[in-house]
Amino acid sequence: METRHGIKYRQLHIEDYLKEIPAEQGRVSGVYAQEWITGDTDTNTDFWTDNLLDTILRSDNLNAAYKKVKENRGSAGIDGMQVDELLPYLREHRKELVEQLRSGKYKPNPVRRVEIPKEEKGKVRKLGVPTVVDRLVQQAIAQELTPIFEEQFSDNSFGFRPKRSAHDAIKRCKQYVEEGYVYVVSMDLQAYFDTVSHSKLIEVLSRTIKDGRVTSLIHKYLNAGVMEDGGFHPTKEGVPQGGPLSPLCGNVMLNELDKELERRGHKYVRYADDCMIMCKSRKSAERTLGKIVPFITGKLFLKVNLQKTTVNHISKVKYLGYSFYRNKGKCRFRVHPKSVGKFKGKLRMLTARGNKWSNPERERRLNDAVRGWVNYYRYADMKGLMEELDKWLRHRIRAIYWKQWKRVRTRYKMLRALHLPEWKVHEMANCRKGTWRAAKMLNSALTKRIIVDKLGYPSLAAHYLKVRVNY
């Protein structure tokens, strides 16, 4: 099977070659310093940007990129190669790959289009899955570009950046609210990653990256196109979500917005394309909105969804799944009702009586979902909400067991095993109510202690009290 690289079936392996640094360098594998290349510690400070492709193609950088790609796993691209097949390919074809990258002859493959549903009904988010080889190259580029651009990025930007998280973003919101910035311009950039201007992005990148070979390679990735509905579609704009380069390119582009907001003296918080500009009055917020939209559309060539871009008091805003309220002059967090509804939908799916999972498998999936969700919202005040959700979840679990005990003789057997009085066993075993109503009767049999402690199902309230952060 030939690929667009002209390399027979791409099966990369890296552990042999990437551990080796050419002998003429006279250095130990895995160690690298700027002085090795220049031979002089008093080197030109522009070396890293002027000769960036050489640093990207270093053995230790490619080795780290391979490990990251393997760690992230992910599905195959259009060539069908899986992550586990990447290692054998590098062992056989690494010289050809590196030479193609160095000479500018490397041609990225189109990405495979994948659609995942959004919160809004009927809407989808379009992802692009690159081939594993392209993921490796993109990861190697991103690893070298990230520390360069990190020095330029704003302190108010938190998305897809090392040692920064969504929790840091909401903490910054809290800080500004307590300083009196209680009116918010909630910006909504319409299909941001799908509408990024290639020429503008390359222009911004070129201000920092002086090695034209790297900007040319990035441009090739932007123009690689997508495979969708069985055919090839060119990409004249946008940064396909799904590759290691996409988050960095998104931040580089929106860093221009950050600079403009800081130049104008605004307080703001940005997580990827979710941006909130904080003001002290509604009039100030409305004036800010009117002035910043022309900059976004006219200078950055991005589209603003004016229907979803709003000016509101902080108490009416949803940001990163959280909502805000003030108590005794302090800003506090809650879980936004839409986030609660989405989570209940997930729990409803995991406890559907027709999904044919075994009870241990359902218990494992529920524990994973609950731990992940509660850990993310651990800064919110939600003890009462967790207790309410626990009751609802246990009711659904009881309904599952009642449905499994569909024969009367099975109900007798199981209810007796729960040490109920014989009259109660007889009454419940012969119940003719529907599943949901009958499950309510099981409160006295399948108690909270049995469901959580013996059967191993999660307790949202218990986990929340264990991990909560009273910030």
Side-chain angles (χ1 to χ4, degrees):
M1 176 179 173
E2 295 286 332
T3 70
R4 290 180 59 187
H5 302 299
I7 299 174
K8 189 177 180 181
Y9 188 68
R10 304 187 318 183
Q11 298 177 327
L12 301 165
H13 190 64
I14 209 165
E15 287 181 352
D16 288 342
Y17 107 87
L18 290 182
K19 288 179 181 177
E20 299 176 2
I21 295 177
E24 62 266 25
Q25 289 183 359
R27 299 291 174 175
V28 178
S29 173
V31 182
Y32 189 85
Q34 181 174 334
E35 61 182 281
W36 299 3
I37 295 178
T38 63
D40 182 4
T41 54
D42 298 325
T43 184
N44 183 352
T45 56
D46 290 334
F47 177 86
W48 295 106
T49 51
D50 292 346
N51 300 275
L52 190 56
L53 186 62
D54 297 321
T55 66
I56 288 170
L57 297 179
R58 289 187 347 251
S59 295
D60 58 334
N61 185 54
L62 289 174
N63 190 42
Y66 166 76
K67 290 178 180 178
K68 191 68 175 177
V69 170
K70 187 169 184 179
E71 177 186 319
N72 291 339
R73 303 297 299 174
S75 57
I78 63 168
D79 62 356
M81 186 194 294
Q82 300 294 333
V83 173
D84 291 338
E85 298 174 277
L86 182 58
L87 197 55
Y89 169 80
L90 279 181
R91 184 175 285 144
E92 185 177 353
H93 298 295
R94 59 94 178 174
K95 289 183 180 179
E96 297 166 75
L97 176 64
V98 171
E99 182 55 35
Q100 285 185 353
L101 288 166
R102 200 180 298 278
S103 64
K105 295 179 181 179
Y106 180 82
K107 293 183 179 179
N109 279 311
V111 297
R112 180 170 61 85
R113 176 69 77 208
V114 174
E115 295 182 348
I116 58 174
K118 282 187 172 182
E119 291 183 28
E120 297 93 337
K121 193 173 182 180
K123 293 189 177 182
V124 295
R125 176 175 283 107
K126 294 184 177 181
L127 301 182
V129 180
T131 62
V132 289
V133 176
D134 286 331
R135 292 211 292 274
L136 173 80
V137 177
Q138 287 192 36
Q139 181 64 37
I141 297 171
Q143 286 171 179
E144 289 299 324
L145 291 187
T146 295
I148 294 172
F149 282 100
E150 273 295 311
E151 296 180 0
Q152 303 177 17
F153 288 161
S154 167
D155 189 46
N156 288 318
S157 166
F158 297 93
F160 307 117
R161 294 183 59 189
K163 299 181 181 179
R164 285 173 171 250
S165 67
H167 292 149
D168 297 321
I170 64 165
K171 289 177 191 176
R172 186 62 56 85
C173 291
K174 172 185 170 70
Q175 175 189 328
Y176 288 150
V177 170
E178 292 179 352
E179 290 174 6
Y181 296 88
V182 294
Y183 285 92
V184 175
V185 179
S186 184
M187 298 294 303
D188 186 273
L189 299 178
Q190 186 172 329
Y192 168 64
F193 282 95
D194 297 328
T195 59
V196 171
S197 167
H198 290 178
S199 58
K200 181 64 179 179
L201 176 58
I202 293 299
E203 176 208 324
V204 175
L205 287 169
S206 299
R207 295 176 199 164
T208 300
I209 302 171
K210 304 306 179 185
D211 190 337
R213 298 172 298 175
V214 176
T215 52
S216 175
L217 181 57
I218 294 173
H219 207 176
K220 287 179 182 178
Y221 275 114
L222 297 175
N223 291 325
V226 298
M227 294 297 292
E228 188 175 19
D229 300 325
F232 172 80
H233 300 273
T235 48
K236 297 180 180 179
E237 62 179 10
V239 180
Q241 297 182 71
L245 263 180
S246 301
L248 178 62
C249 288
N251 272 333
V252 167
M253 189 68 164
L254 286 178
N255 190 47
E256 298 299 295
L257 174 61
D258 295 346
K259 291 177 182 177
E260 181 66 14
L261 291 172
E262 289 172 355
R263 188 185 69 81
R264 298 183 184 193
H266 291 303
K267 303 287 187 181
Y268 71 96
V269 179
R270 184 175 66 78
Y271 189 93
D273 59 329
D274 290 332
C275 182
M276 293 210 308
I277 308 172
M278 322 282 283
C279 302
K280 288 193 173 182
S281 69
R282 181 176 290 275
K283 282 189 177 181
S284 175
E286 290 171 348
R287 186 166 58 248
T288 298
L289 174 60
K291 291 183 177 180
I292 202 64
V293 168
F295 173 82
I296 295 172
T297 56
K299 299 291 185 180
L300 302 183
F301 309 112
L302 298 172
K303 298 176 183 178
V304 178
N305 188 336
L306 294 176
Q307 293 181 335
K308 292 186 176 180
T309 298
T310 58
V311 173
N312 273 316
H313 190 270
I314 189 67
S315 61
K316 297 180 180 178
V317 169
K318 176 192 175 194
Y319 192 60
L320 303 177
Y322 281 82
S323 62
F324 307 84
Y325 73 100
R326 300 182 77 189
N327 182 30
K328 297 180 181 179
K330 297 291 184 180
C331 178
R332 306 288 298 175
F333 307 120
R334 287 196 182 105
V335 185
H336 194 275
K338 286 185 178 179
S339 303
V340 176
K342 186 177 179 181
F343 182 56
K344 284 190 73 173
K346 184 172 185 177
L347 293 179
R348 193 175 283 112
M349 181 272 293
L350 292 174
T351 53
R353 296 190 290 275
N355 55 26
K356 299 181 181 180
W357 293 332
S358 66
N359 289 332
E361 174 68 8
R362 180 179 292 105
E363 173 226 314
R364 183 188 66 79
R365 292 185 184 226
L366 278 172
N367 273 293
D368 290 345
V370 165
R371 279 196 298 267
W373 193 85
V374 174
N375 286 345
Y376 179 76
Y377 288 103
R378 65 184 181 272
Y379 287 84
D381 298 328
M382 58 178 188
K383 181 181 176 182
L385 171 64
M386 293 297 93
E387 291 172 348
E388 181 183 333
L389 279 178
D390 265 337
K391 291 178 183 177
W392 174 79
L393 179 60
R394 286 195 291 270
H395 194 149
R396 291 189 63 83
I397 291 169
R398 292 183 184 110
I400 291 170
Y401 280 92
W402 185 257
K403 189 72 174 179
Q404 291 174 354
W405 304 344
K406 54 186 177 182
R407 296 175 180 272
V408 173
R409 64 184 180 189
T410 305
R411 293 173 186 170
Y412 268 105
K413 177 183 176 182
M414 302 307 296
L415 292 169
R416 282 171 177 155
L418 293 169
H419 307 294
L420 294 182
E422 191 62 26
W423 67 269
K424 190 70 172 177
V425 170
H426 182 74
E427 178 185 40
M428 294 180 66
N430 290 283
C431 173
R432 293 295 181 265
K433 294 179 180 178
T435 302
W436 188 252
R437 292 183 65 192
K440 192 173 183 179
M441 296 173 56
L442 279 178
N443 284 356
S444 58
L446 282 176
T447 62
K448 173 183 174 181
R449 185 177 64 84
I450 291 174
I451 290 175
V452 175
D453 296 340
K454 293 192 175 181
L455 296 179
Y457 287 96
S459 167
L460 287 92
H463 189 64
Y464 170 66
L465 293 175
K466 182 179 178 182
V467 302
R468 68 172 298 184
V469 177
N470 190 13
Y471 186 77

